[in-house]
Amino acid sequence: MELTEVKITALGNEGQGIGTLPSGKTCFVAGVFPGEVCLCEISSETSKYAVLDAREVTKTSPDRIAPFVPADEVCGGLPYACLSYEAQKRTKQNRVRECLERIGGFNPEFLDSVMKPIMAADKPFRYRNHMQYAIRGGKVGLLCAKSDELGSYDEELIEYEIFSKIRVAVEDVFERAPTWLFDGLVLRGSLNTNEILAEFVSSSDQPHEVILRDAKTYIEATGLAVAIEKTCTENDFKLNGLLLRISPNKLSKRTRTGLRAALTGVDYYDEIFCGRRFRIKAGSFFQVNTEQAEKLANRASDACKEAKVIYDLYCGCGTLGLAILREGQKLFGIEVVPEAIESAKINRALATNGSEASNCDFLCKDVLKADFNSLIKKGKILPADCIIVDPPRKGLDIGVIKKLQELNAPRICYISCDPATLARDLKMLAQTYKIEEVTPCDLFPNASHVETVVLMSKVNTTR
């Protein structure tokens, strides 16, 4: 096996090291950091770049806090797990800035004036309120990056402690009562309400009624539900529900959809977010880091504090808009998923205790296809003073950007989960909006992802 020596000079979007081969071709190497020199084996190669597997690190970065582990043994999606938190913050701050400069075309002097320091995590460990585990051979854990086998990971870096204890309880049951019924386990919960929701996943292509029958029989015969509930109770938590999700194909697995049924209890748990109560249903979106998401919401609240009418586009189940709503403000949430809108209406009553429910309307519409001018004329919505956009990773469709410019709201708050698509969109929005603040937020310590909150104001607003 021939090994090539590579010096790492930067980090890529997914946390992989970037270097240059002796031929001058750019290469990507997982598990190594800038300043390190490593001996690598070529895994794949195109005419433009190569992907390498590091086998040994001969020069170590001062930012490294744990020994090198080959990428094919790494699991959990935590490429920064061996990187000091100070270096993680610096890397993510620089990544947002680099995208704005390279993709957005913003000059360094301007970025100096608008960029704020990253909102770092006070506790960059045991922060995830939502874990998706694989089940293999009676063991519950996370898959290796390059295989369908479970790998080792430092549970203290990522999952709530109660999740770790539930995993042990489940494995104890599997050890004395082996089964091939389940190949996944999803745990969600709140440290504020101490409520837990557990969901076993089956990819079997047998008839749904057969899988459901067998699952019910198994948990009753083995005491699986009792074991999980006992673990929760002993640690001052409550198991709200034990569910089964049947996801027999790749699409349903990827989107976490399929037939979902409650084996015991209910299909939701409650969370306290920004001082308000929200109901989180199985399968619905909620930020995985509650504490950091509250910091993000507070920045969004700053953008909306003077607004009388707020639009929350891509509102999901309404958590962000409802969290920042103040007395006397009117909120209109727009979301294309019917189930999310139904959850938003439930959360409207929970979060406001009914006192401000009349000030919150949620509409099931595609943001791209919605005719906002028609909705305003028909009295369905009012003209916005501030618009919150929190799109998926692909960012805003060009048609949505045009709608935002036509709506002419005095302020926009853009919350992004991808600095590259954010930079692309801001390049267009900056034609009519002034960027006032850009604040990165670390919702995912030890992972490569970074969120960003951008506050903008309309240039020469006219109504």
Side-chain angles (χ1 to χ4, degrees):
M1 178 178 64
E2 184 178 352
L3 298 179
T4 302
E5 184 177 83
V6 176
K7 180 178 180 180
I8 304 303
T9 57
L11 285 174
N13 293 342
E14 302 302 321
Q16 72 275 46
I18 300 176
T20 305
L21 291 174
S23 64
K25 184 180 294 184
T26 298
C27 60
F28 298 91
V29 190
V32 290
F33 308 122
E36 296 193 322
V37 177
C38 49
L39 298 177
C40 304
E41 179 183 5
I42 295 178
S43 173
S44 61
E45 189 171 6
T46 71
S47 60
K48 295 183 178 180
Y49 66 90
V51 176
L52 278 59
D53 292 330
R55 297 307 178 195
E56 180 184 350
V57 175
T58 57
K59 180 181 179 182
T60 302
S61 165
D63 292 321
R64 178 179 286 278
I65 59 173
F68 164 73
V69 178
D72 53 7
E73 299 178 18
V74 174
C75 66
L78 302 173
Y80 293 170
C82 297
L83 194 62
S84 72
Y85 193 55
E86 285 301 315
Q88 290 186 39
K89 292 188 294 181
R90 184 173 66 248
T91 298
K92 294 182 180 185
Q93 178 89 11
N94 291 341
R95 184 183 166 210
V96 173
R97 184 187 177 101
E98 188 271 337
C99 285
L100 291 174
E101 190 170 335
R102 178 175 56 85
I103 301 173
F106 298 101
N107 67 60
E109 293 76 16
F110 172 73
L111 293 177
D112 286 341
S113 68
V114 299
M115 282 209 67
K116 305 298 180 184
I118 189 169
M119 291 188 286
D122 297 325
K123 299 176 182 178
F125 48 84
R126 290 208 184 276
Y127 63 86
R128 285 191 66 104
N129 56 41
H130 182 180
M131 290 294 298
Q132 300 176 58
Y133 302 104
I135 298 175
R136 300 290 185 271
K139 298 297 182 181
V140 182
L142 302 178
L143 296 176
C144 290
K146 296 186 177 183
S147 75
D148 194 51
E149 301 297 322
L150 297 184
S152 61
Y153 69 100
D154 186 348
E155 63 188 32
E156 293 187 4
L157 288 177
I158 186 168
E159 65 193 28
Y160 283 174
E161 186 175 6
I162 183 62
F163 292 172
S164 302
K165 294 181 178 180
I166 291 173
R167 285 196 300 108
V168 172
V170 170
E171 289 180 346
D172 287 345
V173 174
F174 287 163
E175 185 176 4
R176 58 180 171 79
T179 179
W180 297 102
L181 271 171
F182 314 117
D183 47 28
L185 172 63
V186 179
L187 295 178
R188 305 185 72 170
S190 167
L191 299 185
N192 295 313
T193 63
N194 282 24
E195 295 179 4
I196 298 293
L197 192 63
E199 178 179 89
F200 283 97
V201 182
S202 170
S203 60
S204 172
D205 57 3
Q206 294 187 69
H208 289 170
E209 58 270 20
V210 173
I211 303 171
L212 186 58
R213 179 202 65 199
D214 290 348
K216 287 181 176 179
T217 300
Y218 180 85
I219 69 166
E220 290 173 2
T222 62
L224 178 59
V226 174
I228 297 174
E229 188 168 10
K230 180 182 178 183
T231 301
C232 291
T233 302
E234 290 176 346
N235 291 277
D236 297 322
F237 282 84
K238 173 189 175 185
L239 178 65
N240 270 24
L242 178 61
L243 314 180
L244 172 68
R245 188 181 86 232
I246 304 173
S247 299
N249 54 57
K250 290 183 178 179
L251 178 61
S252 60
K253 290 177 186 176
R254 179 172 58 82
T255 58
R256 298 185 287 281
T257 56
L259 176 69
R260 184 175 273 114
L263 301 175
T264 65
V266 296
D267 66 347
Y268 61 82
Y269 73 96
D270 283 0
E271 176 65 277
I272 304 299
F273 181 66
C274 292
R276 297 188 169 188
R277 181 173 289 269
F278 292 91
R279 183 147 295 170
I280 314 299
K281 290 179 68 68
S284 66
F285 172 78
F286 184 72
Q287 293 283 10
V288 300
N289 189 330
T290 306
E291 285 189 9
Q292 286 300 97
E294 287 185 339
K295 294 180 183 179
L296 184 149
N298 288 334
R299 298 301 296 125
S301 180
D302 291 341
C304 300
K305 60 185 177 183
E306 303 297 333
K308 293 183 179 179
V309 179
I310 302 169
Y311 289 179
D312 183 6
L313 307 187
Y314 309 96
C315 70
C317 55
T319 49
L320 180 59
L322 289 166
I324 69 174
L325 188 67
R326 305 184 185 197
E327 186 176 355
Q329 292 181 323
K330 182 76 175 178
L331 173 69
F332 294 97
I334 311 290
E335 170 62 56
V336 71
V337 181
E339 294 82 1
I341 288 295
E342 290 304 311
S343 292
K345 291 177 178 178
I346 293 172
N347 284 329
R348 175 175 60 187
L350 287 173
T352 64
N353 291 321
S355 60
E356 300 170 11
S358 61
N359 290 330
C360 311
D361 287 337
F362 293 98
L363 288 72
C364 187
K365 292 185 179 296
D366 186 333
V367 173
L368 178 60
K369 298 177 181 178
D371 186 340
F372 288 92
N373 289 329
S374 176
L375 291 170
I376 291 172
K377 288 179 181 178
K378 292 178 181 179
K380 299 288 186 180
I381 60 177
L382 298 173
D385 299 309
C386 185
I387 300 176
I388 301 171
V389 288
D390 187 2
R393 188 167 298 278
K394 67 178 183 178
L396 297 172
D397 187 282
I398 189 171
V400 174
I401 292 177
K402 290 180 178 178
K403 285 179 185 289
L404 292 174
Q405 292 169 329
E406 291 169 1
L407 284 168
N408 207 33
R411 297 185 68 80
I412 290 177
C413 175
Y414 189 148
I415 299 174
S416 165
C417 58
D418 187 327
T421 55
L422 170 67
R424 178 202 65 199
D425 295 345
L426 290 184
K427 186 174 184 178
M428 287 192 63
L429 285 169
Q431 296 172 11
T432 49
Y433 279 85
K434 176 185 176 183
I435 298 173
E436 296 182 343
E437 290 185 10
V438 178
T439 309
C441 182
D442 188 16
L443 265 74
F444 308 96
N446 307 305
S448 60
H449 303 300
V450 58
E451 300 266 327
T452 311
V453 186
V454 182
L455 308 186
M456 292 174 275
S457 62
K458 189 72 173 67
V459 177
N460 298 324
T461 304
T462 56
R463 287 283 189 178

